[in-house]
């Protein structure tokens, strides 16, 4: 017996097939505790050899795995392509999609890989790092809104310090958030203010000169009214920054307790958050990636080759795990700053005419071979045992970074 589940936010449509592909039963259950329990009970009656579904996470998938059912994840893009297997219309229909999912598991199960859940500590770490990444996006959005607002209200504050969301920038806006306040600012006031915040990058006189040379913003009563908007954006930015910092603390705690932490923190410039992202997105199930090539393909750092007759096209790989690709490429791009071997590979790729993103993916693919070896053998990255790095160092003791 085989089952297909068309997942939705409010309900799930289930189709059960026999070994010949004949429909045994169709049921619809609600996406709540009672509905999921009823679904698990129904599947328990048939004991299917496989359950097809379009997503690999969530309460429903957790319940299916807990019940010991073999789950096969078939991506929505694949389901869309598979609809043409059963008819030319290709229309979206929940009942039909549930049938397609069940029948694909019945006919192509040998080509599919059963979903294996990571341990709870890895799942928790993944939730933390993804939530932090989402908050980073919110931080950028609020900072951009604040910048656009300041370009009209207080242009002098834009670019005065390194970043608009830096602690010093936010403190400056909190204390000197209007054009009138900035106009009254003196070097004798600014110098102790900077000293109190341990800012020594530029002297007060230089900063004050920049403020005085900048375009003037809105003054008087209108400026005071618009200052409320400045403080509103600033409060939102402060809140997001506080929550990002809190999540980083939680990530550090979760990573320290994870059994695979030493593997990923040993990588160059991995730090805490970057190491946690790599660990969380790769996971802890070694059986999921039997070879480095399988991990590289899912991460989207290998090209997609298409060939027909004498035509051969090597293109960017779109159908990938974007979270994994972002984590791997982020690590690879930064690793070249301290690892001579990584810097050398990146430089070679750029010399061949590759742009930054392409060169980073080439470097990420090389790193995946090393990460996979460390991951599958439970060993840390040791530069002294990295043959390619040692060979490069012997040829050039101080290669260019």
């Amino acid at each position: 017996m085989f089952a297909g589940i068309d997942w939705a936010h409010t309900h799930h449509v289930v189709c059960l097939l026999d070994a010949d592909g004949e429909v045994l039963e169709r049921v619809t259950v609600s996406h709540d505790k009672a509905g999921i329990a009823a679904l698990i009970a129904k599947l328990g009656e048939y004991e299917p050899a496989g359950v097809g579904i379009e997503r690999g996470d969530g309460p429903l998938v957790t319940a299916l795995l807990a019940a010991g059912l073999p789950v096969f994840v078939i991506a929505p893009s694949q389901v869309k392509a598979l609809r043409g297997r059963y008819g030319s219309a290709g229309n979206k229909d929940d009942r039909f999609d549930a049938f397609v999912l069940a029948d694909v598991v019945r006919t192509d199960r040998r080509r599919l890989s059963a979903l294996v859940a990571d341990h709870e500590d890895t799942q928790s770490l993944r939730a933390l790092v993804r939530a932090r990444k989402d908050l980073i996006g919110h931080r950028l959005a609020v900072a951009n809104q604040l910048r656009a607002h300041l370009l009209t209200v207080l242009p002098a504050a834009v670019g005065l310090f390194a970043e608009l969301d830096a602690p010093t920038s936010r403190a400056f806006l909190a204390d000197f958030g209007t054009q009138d306040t900035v106009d009254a600012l003196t070097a004798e006031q600014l110098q102790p203010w900077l000293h109190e915040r341990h800012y020594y990058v530029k002297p007060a006189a230089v900063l004050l000169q920049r403020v005085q040379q900048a375009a003037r913003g809105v003054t008087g009563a209108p400026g005071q009214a618009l200052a409320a908007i400045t403080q509103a954006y600033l409060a939102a930015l402060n809140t997001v920054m506080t929550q990002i910092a809190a999540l980083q603390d939680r990530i550090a705690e979760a990573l320290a307790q994870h059994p695979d932490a030493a593997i990923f923190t040993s990588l160059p410039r991995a730090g805490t958050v970057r190491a946690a992202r790599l660990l969380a997105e790769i996971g802890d199930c070694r059986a999921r990636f039997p070879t480095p090539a399988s991990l590289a393909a899912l991460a989207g750092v290998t090209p997609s080759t298409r060939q027909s007759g004498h035509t051969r096209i090597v293109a960017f790989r779109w159908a990938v795990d974007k979270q994994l690709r972002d984590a791997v490429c982020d690590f690879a791009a930064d690793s070249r700053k301290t690892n001579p071997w990584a810097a050398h590979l990146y430089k070679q790729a750029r010399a061949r005419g590759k742009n930054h993103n392409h060169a980073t993916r080439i470097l990420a693919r090389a790193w995946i071979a090393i990460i996979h070896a460390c991951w599958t053998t439970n060993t840390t990255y040791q530069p002294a045992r990295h043959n390619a790095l040692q060979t490069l160092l012997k040829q050039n003791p101080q290669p260019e970074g």
Side-chain angles (χ1 to χ4, degrees):
M1 307 299 177
F2 303 90
I5 303 175
D6 185 80
W7 188 96
H9 291 285
T10 57
H11 64 278
H12 312 297
V13 179
V14 187
C15 180
L16 292 148
L17 306 180
D18 63 15
D20 296 323
E22 297 296 327
V23 177
L24 296 174
E25 189 173 354
R26 282 190 172 97
V27 296
T28 300
V29 299
S30 58
H31 183 63
D32 53 27
K33 182 178 180 181
I36 293 176
L39 173 57
I40 297 300
K42 176 62 67 176
L43 294 177
E45 297 175 9
Y46 288 93
E47 297 183 357
V51 179
I53 193 169
E54 291 179 292
R55 61 177 296 172
D57 57 0
L60 176 58
V61 174
T62 300
L64 292 171
L65 293 174
L69 295 167
V71 178
F72 298 89
V73 179
I74 303 169
S77 58
Q78 292 177 300
V79 176
K80 181 179 179 180
L82 287 165
R83 291 189 192 118
R85 186 178 185 179
Y86 303 90
S88 58
N91 296 329
K92 171 76 172 92
D93 180 83
D94 294 346
R95 287 164 56 86
F96 181 59
D97 282 357
F99 169 79
V100 171
L101 287 164
D103 201 52
V104 169
V105 174
R106 180 183 70 87
T107 59
D108 298 85
R109 185 171 44 141
R110 67 187 184 280
R111 297 187 180 93
L112 303 173
S113 298
L115 179 65
V116 181
D118 291 310
H119 291 102
E120 291 182 355
D121 51 359
T122 303
Q123 295 180 38
S124 300
L125 185 61
R126 184 180 301 124
L128 288 170
V129 297
R130 288 186 178 182
R132 177 189 174 275
K133 187 174 182 294
D134 288 341
L135 285 180
I136 293 293
H138 291 306
R139 183 198 72 187
L140 294 174
V142 175
N144 287 337
Q145 289 175 307
L146 176 59
R147 180 178 292 105
H149 171 71
L150 290 174
L151 287 174
T152 300
V153 178
L154 185 59
V158 179
L160 184 62
F161 301 100
E163 298 292 343
L164 194 57
D165 56 10
T168 309
S169 294
R170 289 182 281 130
F172 184 85
L173 289 175
D175 295 338
F176 313 105
T178 65
Q179 184 65 54
D180 292 330
T181 307
V182 168
D183 288 342
L185 188 62
T186 63
E188 290 72 19
Q189 293 174 311
L190 186 58
Q191 183 60 52
W193 186 91
L194 295 172
H195 182 75
E196 183 180 350
R197 285 153 185 81
H198 307 287
Y199 179 87
Y200 307 105
V201 179
K202 294 181 177 66
V206 173
L207 294 175
L208 192 61
Q209 184 181 14
R210 289 189 177 183
V211 168
Q212 294 171 347
Q213 293 176 347
R216 289 181 57 76
V218 182
T219 59
Q224 295 297 327
L226 292 174
I229 301 176
T230 303
Q231 297 306 315
Y233 281 132
L234 183 61
L237 186 58
N238 286 334
T239 300
V240 173
M241 296 294 290
T242 300
Q243 295 309 314
I244 289 174
L247 279 181
Q248 288 181 179
D249 291 339
R250 293 292 302 274
I251 289 171
E253 294 173 3
L255 180 64
Q257 299 173 4
H258 199 285
D260 290 338
I263 298 173
F264 293 91
T265 54
S266 66
L267 297 169
R269 290 184 68 86
T272 299
V273 174
R274 187 172 285 124
R277 285 194 70 199
L278 281 172
L279 194 165
E281 299 304 339
I282 293 175
D284 56 48
C285 179
R286 271 61 173 176
R288 186 180 295 124
F289 303 113
T291 64
S294 61
L295 176 57
L298 187 63
V301 295
T302 55
S304 175
T305 304
R306 303 168 188 173
Q307 187 167 350
S308 177
H310 297 290
T311 303
R312 184 173 183 268
I313 301 174
V314 180
F316 179 75
R317 187 181 292 269
W318 293 98
V320 300
D321 183 335
K322 294 179 176 59
Q323 295 277 8
L324 175 59
R325 180 169 62 193
D326 187 58
V328 171
C329 289
D330 173 63
F331 158 72
D334 207 49
S335 68
R336 61 190 174 88
K337 296 179 181 178
T338 57
N339 188 282
W341 167 79
H344 180 67
L345 283 185
Y346 177 85
K347 188 177 179 180
Q348 282 186 321
R350 292 305 302 268
R352 295 196 300 271
K354 311 300 182 184
N355 61 27
H356 169 72
N357 291 334
H358 194 170
T360 298
R361 291 195 299 273
I362 292 173
L363 177 57
R365 183 179 181 181
W367 268 120
I368 279 180
I370 296 171
I371 294 173
H372 187 271
C374 295
W375 183 60
T376 52
T377 58
N378 291 305
T379 56
T380 59
Y381 172 70
Q382 301 173 36
R385 297 178 60 184
H386 187 173
N387 294 334
L389 171 62
Q390 296 306 314
T391 300
L392 181 65
L393 291 176
K394 289 177 182 178
Q395 294 173 352
N396 184 4
Q398 294 182 338
E400 295 182 6

